[in-house]
Amino acid sequence: MESTILASMSFGAPQFLILLPLLFLAGWFFRSLALWRPLRALLLILLVTALCDPALRLRSDKMDLWVLFDRSSSASEMVEAGEDEWKSLLLRTKPGRENQLHFIDYASEVIPGTNAETNFYSGATDQTRTGLAINDTLARMESDRHHGILVFTDGYSTEPLDGIAAKLMAANVPLDYRLLRAPDVIDFQVTELKLPSRSQLAEPFVVDITVKASQSGTTPLTVYRNETALFTREVEIVEGTGHLRFADRITSPGAHRYRAVVAPELDTHAGNNQREQWIEIVAGPRLLLVTRYNNDPLASTLSNQGFAVETVSDDLLSLTSGALTGARAVILNNVPAYELPSEFLNALDFFVKEQGGGLLMAGGKNSFGSGGYYQSAVDELLPVTMELKNEHRRLSVAMAIVMDRSGSMAAITSSGNSKMQLANEGGARAIELLGETDAVTVFAVDSQAHEISPLLNVGKSRGELIKRVRSIESMGGGIFVYTGMKAAWDQLKQAEAGQRHMILFTDAADSEEPGEYKALLKEMQDKGATVSVIGLGTRSDADANFIQDIASRGNGRMFFTTIPGEIPNIFAQETVSVARSTFVEEAVPPQSSGKWHEIAQRDLNWPQSVDGYNLSYLREGDETALVSTDRYAAPLVAFGRRGIGRTAAVAFPLGGDYSESVRSWESYGDFQQTFARWLIGEQIPPGIGVRHEITGSELRIDLIYDSEIWASEFAKSPPRLVIEQGDLGNRAEELIWERLAPGHYSVKTELRESEPLRGAVQVSGTALPFGPVVAGSALEWEFHRERVIELEETSRTSGGGELLDLSQAWRKPEASGITPIREWFFLSALFIFLLETFATRTGWSMLHFGPRIEAATKVGARKRKTKTQTAPVESHPTEAEAEPAPEEFSPARRTRFQKAKKRH
């Protein structure tokens, strides 16, 4: 059935209609203006109408009602309790079949429903993104129908509703709402954690914490800095609010995270019991030296050269992405990858490529491939590769892989693969990297050990082994660690002479049956076997200490990861570390390649020899300044660029064992100084700065700059804003600036809860880094009254309101589909003006157009007849014989015609 389309016209500036009576009076009293002529009168009417800003309103007699259900954690129970009743009432009061009812579920995401029975929401529920839901709904509307929006929500949006009212008014869509009110409960929440975003090194600053509760009393509050608890104090709640204020200062540069946690005895919503915030401790540009040496010679040498050096050697696990804040370059000096948190390693990619930082890896037995960096987050940043080649393998390796196949391994990860599939891929990757003469046995373990393959030669059975490993499935139950290790050792000890190594992959929170593991590991140690453990989880999980003890007693490495997607790479790192002899322990004379001049003005006087080095290969596109003179011709000093940052590799040790010749080298200090200055790169240019502000889950970033300095530069190459959110090494995202004014760019983006965001503004080959910043935790449970007021005001502005009677939801708005038509009136007025001008100049009139053509035809016929009857004698007719002038010629025009004849 076709709908009825009705049209009407409205005026945006009706005050100009007063001109019509004024023009009428002018034409009455000043008749010489001849305003009564049809063309002039029409011209004036068109101009006045155009000044009134006319618009054509199209509207249909059909209506769409869009019903939005808040499925967030704080409102889902209330929605589910009344949803069926609301849907039934809205369907019963629908005025006709042509009107349509649409249901949309939202929380962190927006998921449209298909019909009235749809009540399943599959998205995340940790935020209430009401603004996103309204914008999404407006985008779905058809322009030729009436529309209305009805929102069922508790009103506590986690994002501001900026600009929503203007969009609703432009679309002529009223926003109605029904507030869902929870019953009174006992609830404590940390509503504010205030501290400055920046502070100088060792400068005192104030931390202010606000706690709100539904009842008076006291509650314990614990404050953490990074992962260390500073103190626990009782906070007194008076009239619903309590405060705690203290002073603190930090003596180490970088970004540091503060966290405040309340722990009341009774609390309905535990999700809002904590809040966190970051502070940047500014100490000028610095080098971050991560090392295993207690007295690293690099630290003293670089400090003597005038560099600010921050050394981290003891508590490596405390390193986070915040440690990179304010750093210009990072040096990894003989520290293994498995001792560094994955958060820190993953953050290095963005630090170098987008924030313009520098990275240098120095040699040693815990560096490069020997340190487990093969296929790590750092691998592709380095100017050298660490792939495994046959001529560099150990004599032979017998490896046992023991894999958890318990019920928890069936869980699906964000990649779409199960944990079991990723573990299988890790085992397959390990087999791919083993040599032709190596052997491997594989067991899958739940409450018993299942032999996937006995000890077999890899060269003869590689394809079959990989196929078997990739077919392992999660079968339920727990994981009996001792049973699996015992079965694998029974196979492994049958191997002939060579290195024996076991990789245990297990859940750090569900590793059962320790059994006699200590005695088993003692037996393995006596036979020269080693054990490394890959734990899926964190060091704080229930069984973390147990599996760490296995790795310690087994003289192996301990890996923890909360990212299932990292499992295959960890297997690869461990396999290369075991199967490849990557550190050359012989003294080798080096040879210059002549490329050092790309870093410095002249070449160095290189050392006579290096005592040992990590074997690697130059990556395509990078440069080497020094190579070994042995049969490998391996790069000893290599460098390259990644994004706008710089990266370098020094294959020989700069401290500790195998570094005596290098440390006695006369240019040892100059070499470090030159490399450090090159890694740091260009200085941040003046006249430009970045600031940021968080409102709820929305981050606003502003770029302020001196137009006189930067306007011409930005005209050629605009500034780029790149961000990365989370600690998982996510892909960088570029945001588009909005120019607010000369010297001011701005942009807004949405923050994910508890995920730190880092960013960089790139200008002229350098970067202005900022972050980490975080939206805080449990935004969904921060019940700010301001958000409810904002929803009420937006609804009122759009023409809606709170609906207690749902039958009123079907009222139609005034109109929709407004089309301005002022331009058409101006174009019509222009046409009439030209037509009236033509008529005035020529005397043309549409009323007499026909008679004039007829008279002209008669005159022409009479002249032709005269020419045919008489000889061609030149003569001039007398004035009396001349054709009389047409009647429409005015006396004034006839007089001008006669004067012209007399002149001839």
Side-chain angles (χ1 to χ4, degrees):
M1 182 181 296
E2 297 183 356
S3 61
T4 304
I5 305 294
L6 304 177
S8 64
M9 184 183 295
S10 63
F11 296 103
Q15 63 271 20
F16 287 104
L17 291 175
I18 192 65
L19 294 176
L20 289 176
L22 295 178
L23 290 171
F24 176 79
L25 293 175
W28 181 267
F29 289 105
F30 304 97
R31 295 181 177 272
S32 60
L33 297 176
L35 298 184
W36 60 86
R37 291 186 180 180
L39 290 179
R40 293 189 182 183
L42 180 59
L43 173 63
L44 294 175
I45 292 173
L46 289 174
L47 288 174
V48 171
T49 306
L51 290 174
C52 292
D53 191 15
L56 191 64
R57 293 175 177 259
L58 298 176
R59 64 180 185 273
S60 169
D61 57 351
K62 294 181 179 180
M63 177 178 176
D64 290 349
L65 179 61
W66 302 79
V67 182
L68 279 55
F69 289 118
D70 180 356
R71 302 286 184 178
S72 62
S73 299
S74 63
S76 59
E77 291 185 3
M78 294 181 286
V79 168
E80 291 172 2
E83 178 180 3
D84 293 338
E85 178 185 352
W86 301 330
K87 287 182 175 181
S88 176
L89 180 58
L90 290 171
L91 285 171
R92 286 201 313 268
T93 57
K94 190 173 69 157
R97 290 186 178 182
E98 295 182 350
N99 297 313
Q100 295 182 4
L101 188 60
H102 306 270
F103 295 100
I104 291 181
D105 296 329
Y106 78 95
S108 300
E109 308 165 50
V110 179
I111 300 179
T114 56
N115 51 53
E117 286 73 34
T118 302
N119 57 6
F120 177 73
Y121 175 77
S122 58
T125 62
D126 56 349
Q127 292 189 54
T128 305
R129 302 194 62 186
T130 305
L132 176 66
I134 295 174
N135 280 322
D136 182 271
T137 303
L138 288 172
R140 298 174 185 274
M141 294 179 176
E142 299 177 8
S143 59
D144 62 342
R145 298 170 65 95
H146 290 287
H147 296 278
I149 297 178
L150 173 60
V151 184
F152 290 89
T153 178
D154 59 3
Y156 298 109
S157 175
T158 57
E159 63 180 0
L161 300 181
D162 295 342
I164 297 297
K167 293 180 181 179
L168 290 169
M169 293 178 64
N172 201 26
V173 176
L175 172 66
D176 296 322
Y177 63 92
R178 168 74 72 87
L179 282 183
L180 310 177
R181 296 173 173 84
D184 293 336
V185 293
I186 299 176
D187 183 41
F188 290 79
Q189 62 173 315
V190 181
T191 57
E192 286 184 328
L193 173 57
K194 289 185 177 180
L195 68 164
S197 59
R198 290 184 178 182
S199 181
Q200 296 295 320
L201 190 69
E203 180 183 48
F205 55 88
V206 175
V207 180
D208 196 350
I209 304 170
T210 302
V211 180
K212 291 191 175 181
S214 57
Q215 65 178 21
S216 299
T218 60
T219 183
L221 172 68
T222 304
V223 178
Y224 296 84
R225 185 174 66 208
N226 298 323
E227 298 303 320
T228 303
L230 296 181
F231 57 81
T232 299
R233 297 179 186 172
E234 293 289 329
V235 177
E236 184 177 4
I237 308 297
V238 179
E239 295 183 355
T241 303
H243 294 278
L244 174 65
R245 178 178 295 181
F246 67 95
D248 198 10
R249 64 178 183 174
I250 301 176
T251 57
S252 57
H256 300 264
R257 175 168 48 196
Y258 279 80
R259 185 162 55 97
V261 182
V262 292
E265 294 183 0
L266 297 176
D267 189 26
T268 303
H269 304 304
N272 55 14
N273 287 5
Q274 65 175 343
R275 197 169 184 86
E276 64 181 77
Q277 194 60 268
W278 288 78
I279 183 173
E280 179 184 351
I281 302 302
V282 181
R286 76 185 195 284
L287 298 174
L288 177 62
L289 174 61
V290 183
T291 177
R292 288 195 74 181
Y293 304 124
N294 290 328
N295 295 305
D296 195 319
L298 280 179
S300 57
T301 303
L302 290 171
S303 296
N304 293 335
Q305 299 282 357
F307 293 96
V309 181
E310 179 189 2
T311 303
V312 180
S313 59
D314 296 329
D315 192 10
L316 297 177
L317 295 176
S318 66
L319 288 170
T320 66
S321 59
L324 301 173
T325 301
R328 299 299 302 276
V330 176
I331 301 175
L332 302 178
N333 193 11
N334 197 32
V335 57
Y338 66 87
E339 289 189 2
L340 298 175
S342 59
E343 173 190 346
F344 177 75
L345 289 177
N346 289 330
L348 287 172
D349 186 82
F350 187 83
F351 170 73
V352 174
K353 292 181 180 178
E354 308 298 347
Q355 293 186 321
L359 173 66
L360 183 145
M361 181 175 288
K365 287 196 170 182
N366 293 294
S367 233
F368 296 98
S370 301
Y373 287 98
Y374 177 68
Q375 292 193 357
S376 70
V378 176
D379 190 346
E380 294 188 359
L381 288 177
L382 297 175
V384 295
T385 64
M386 297 168 278
E387 70 267 17
L388 192 62
K389 295 188 177 181
N390 287 331
E391 66 268 22
H392 308 145
R393 298 179 186 274
R394 300 184 191 274
L395 293 178
S396 66
V397 174
M399 181 177 289
I401 301 176
V402 181
M403 301 173 62
D404 176 3
R405 76 165 201 181
S406 61
S408 62
M409 296 298 293
I412 302 299
T413 67
S414 59
S415 67
N417 299 311
S418 68
K419 294 179 180 179
M420 191 76 256
Q421 289 174 318
L422 293 172
N424 293 348
E425 184 60 30
R429 187 85 60 87
I431 296 172
E432 288 175 349
L433 292 169
L434 291 173
E436 297 291 320
T437 61
D438 297 334
V440 68
T441 179
V442 182
F443 283 83
V445 183
D446 42 38
S447 55
Q448 57 183 331
H450 304 273
E451 183 182 275
I452 304 302
S453 170
L455 190 67
L456 295 177
N457 178 266
V458 173
K460 298 178 180 179
S461 313
R462 192 188 306 271
E464 178 63 23
L465 286 168
I466 292 175
K467 181 179 179 181
R468 291 183 187 181
V469 169
R470 284 179 171 158
S471 64
I472 299 174
E473 297 181 359
S474 173
M475 304 299 289
I479 174 172
F480 284 20
V481 173
Y482 173 76
T483 299
M485 291 176 59
K486 180 67 170 60
W489 173 239
D490 289 342
Q491 285 287 321
L492 196 59
K493 64 185 178 183
Q494 300 175 19
E496 299 177 358
Q499 184 176 3
R500 299 166 181 169
H501 185 70
M502 181 184 296
I503 299 177
L504 170 64
F505 171 73
T506 183
D507 191 333
D510 189 25
S511 297
E512 304 176 52
E513 195 217 15
E516 299 179 0
Y517 80 97
K518 295 180 181 179
L520 176 63
L521 290 170
K522 180 65 170 62
E523 178 186 347
M524 294 177 67
Q525 185 180 23
D526 293 341
K527 298 291 185 179
T530 55
V531 181
S532 291
V533 181
I534 302 174
L536 185 58
T538 67
R539 297 177 187 271
S540 60
D541 285 339
D543 298 314
N545 291 334
F546 167 45
I547 59 178
Q548 284 186 92
D549 193 47
I550 293 176
S552 176
R553 293 175 182 272
N555 294 323
R557 288 161 285 273
M558 180 70 236
F559 300 86
F560 282 100
T561 181
T562 57
I563 310 169
E566 289 185 346
I567 296 172
N569 290 342
I570 296 176
F571 269 97
Q573 295 166 28
E574 178 63 11
T575 304
V576 170
S577 299
V578 172
R580 182 181 175 194
S581 179
T582 59
F583 190 83
V584 178
E585 300 181 3
E586 301 173 357
V588 177
Q591 180 178 351
S592 172
S593 68
K595 295 290 186 179
W596 184 252
H597 71 272
E598 296 186 13
I599 292 178
Q601 294 182 351
R602 58 184 177 83
D603 205 358
L604 279 175
N605 182 20
W606 296 101
Q608 296 297 315
S609 67
V610 295
D611 299 332
Y613 70 93
N614 292 85
L615 184 58
S616 59
Y617 312 94
L618 185 67
R619 194 180 297 275
E620 184 178 357
D622 294 319
E623 301 289 348
T624 179
L626 195 69
V627 296
S628 66
T629 56
D630 56 9
R631 63 192 179 97
Y632 300 123
L636 298 179
V637 176
F639 56 91
R641 291 180 179 271
R642 299 291 182 270
I644 64 171
R646 306 179 181 194
T647 178
V650 178
F652 48 84
L654 296 174
D657 297 337
Y658 303 96
S659 68
E660 183 176 351
S661 297
V662 172
R663 283 187 288 126
S664 61
W665 172 31
E666 60 180 7
S667 299
Y668 180 71
D670 291 341
F671 171 70
Q672 293 185 31
Q673 180 190 37
T674 303
F675 234 158
R677 293 198 184 281
W678 180 81
L679 287 170
I680 288 175
E682 302 294 334
Q683 295 294 322
I684 298 175
I688 191 168
V690 180
R691 67 186 183 194
H692 53 80
E693 180 183 8
I694 299 175
T695 304
S697 60
E698 183 181 81
L699 171 66
R700 172 172 171 164
I701 305 165
D702 292 282
L703 177 66
I704 311 297
Y705 60 92
D706 188 336
S707 297
E708 295 183 359
I709 299 176
W710 288 101
S712 59
E713 179 68 24
F714 287 170
K716 295 183 293 184
S717 178
R720 293 181 68 238
L721 173 59
V722 187
I723 63 169
E724 181 185 66
Q725 190 164 5
D727 297 326
L728 309 183
N730 296 324
R731 180 180 241 173
E733 175 186 359
E734 183 174 357
L735 302 182
I736 305 300
W737 289 110
E738 177 185 1
R739 189 172 183 270
L740 298 183
H744 188 187
Y745 285 104
S746 183
V747 69
K748 295 179 181 179
T749 188
E750 195 69 23
L751 294 175
R752 296 191 293 270
E753 182 177 316
S754 299
E755 293 190 15
L757 179 145
R758 297 179 299 145
V761 178
Q762 300 176 4
V763 291
S764 300
T766 61
L768 287 79
F770 62 90
V773 295
V774 67
S777 58
L779 291 173
E780 175 60 25
W781 301 100
E782 295 179 2
F783 303 123
H784 294 301
R785 177 60 187 167
E786 295 81 1
R787 290 286 174 260
V788 178
I789 296 174
E790 186 179 35
L791 174 64
E792 294 172 346
E793 183 62 24
T794 301
S795 173
R796 185 192 63 78
T797 304
S798 70
E802 183 173 8
L803 287 188
L804 301 179
D805 181 4
L806 293 184
S807 63
Q808 296 298 314
W810 287 102
R811 70 188 188 283
K812 294 181 180 179
E814 293 182 1
S816 62
I818 300 176
T819 304
I821 55 174
R822 173 192 289 188
E823 292 79 4
W824 293 103
F825 278 88
F826 275 124
L827 289 174
S828 300
L830 177 61
F831 175 75
I832 297 300
F833 172 75
L834 296 174
L835 187 62
E836 205 279 335
T837 302
F838 175 77
T840 302
R841 299 290 296 174
T842 64
W844 175 86
S845 172
M846 292 187 63
L847 297 177
H848 301 89
F849 189 62
R852 289 187 63 185
I853 293 177
E854 183 180 354
T857 303
K858 292 180 178 179
V859 171
R862 191 177 295 119
K863 286 183 178 181
R864 286 194 297 271
K865 183 177 180 181
T866 303
K867 289 181 181 181
T868 57
Q869 293 177 354
T870 61
V873 179
E874 184 175 352
S875 63
H876 297 279
T878 63
E879 186 173 340
E881 298 176 80
E883 185 70 26
E887 295 178 6
E888 63 271 24
F889 283 173
S890 64
R893 290 182 61 85
R894 187 160 50 246
T895 301
R896 289 197 299 269
F897 178 76
Q898 292 171 352
K899 289 180 180 179
K901 284 184 63 179
K902 290 180 180 180
R903 284 197 297 269
H904 285 80

